[in-house]
Amino acid sequence: MSKIKIKSVLKSEDDYEFNGFGLKSGNKIIYMDHNIKTIVTLGEVIYLERQSDYHIKLAFAPNKILIGTYTNEYGSINLDVKTTRLKQNENKLEIHYTLLSDGQKISDFIFILKYSIDT
């Protein structure tokens, strides 16, 4: 397990930026983003989980539509996650995606994660 520096940006109608520290263990990156536990699992399919008073789990693969879930105290809904662009290299991840519910577009997003070993 390595301590890492993290910069993440989530762009939609508003931009949310986080700069801080996290942990990288195997193919998982874990960090607290303004009291929201965030887990990014790297692989052929990339997963993004965010946990607070809600839990969202999204799956990304290039040019595919995969199923994600959003759960809160009132229940759970399935979301279609349409990945339009996915670039991954050693220290950076960039995902462009659209969330849909029942075939209706919710919003477009860009998620960028940069990380490096903390020295």
Side-chain angles (χ1 to χ4, degrees), residues 38-101:
T38 303
I39 302 169
V40 178
T41 305
L42 305 171
E44 284 188 36
V45 175
I46 294 173
Y47 295 94
L48 172 63
E49 287 185 73
R50 293 175 58 83
Q51 300 170 353
S52 182
D53 53 343
Y54 64 90
H55 179 253
I56 188 166
K57 184 171 185 178
L58 306 177
F60 307 98
N63 302 310
K64 291 189 178 179
I65 298 176
L66 301 175
I67 301 297
T69 57
Y70 177 87
T71 305
N72 64 18
E73 64 183 279
Y74 302 108
S76 181
I77 60 170
N78 286 335
L79 300 168
D80 290 327
V81 184
K82 180 180 179 182
T83 306
T84 54
R85 180 176 181 197
L86 192 150
K87 281 181 60 178
Q88 180 179 3
N89 63 33
E90 191 164 323
N91 294 335
K92 183 178 178 186
L93 176 65
E94 183 175 338
I95 305 171
H96 297 230
Y97 64 99
T98 301
L99 289 183
L100 305 121
S101 178

Side-chain angles (χ1 to χ4, degrees), residues 1 14 22 50 88 115 118:
M1 194 173 309
D14 298 314
R50 293 175 58 83
Q88 180 179 3
Y115 56 95
D118 182 34

Side-chain angles (χ1 to χ4, degrees), residues 16-30:
Y16 298 96
E17 189 170 312
F18 169 77
N19 289 289
F21 297 93
L23 297 173
K24 184 170 189 305
S25 179
N27 66 339
K28 288 191 180 210
I29 296 170
I30 303 165

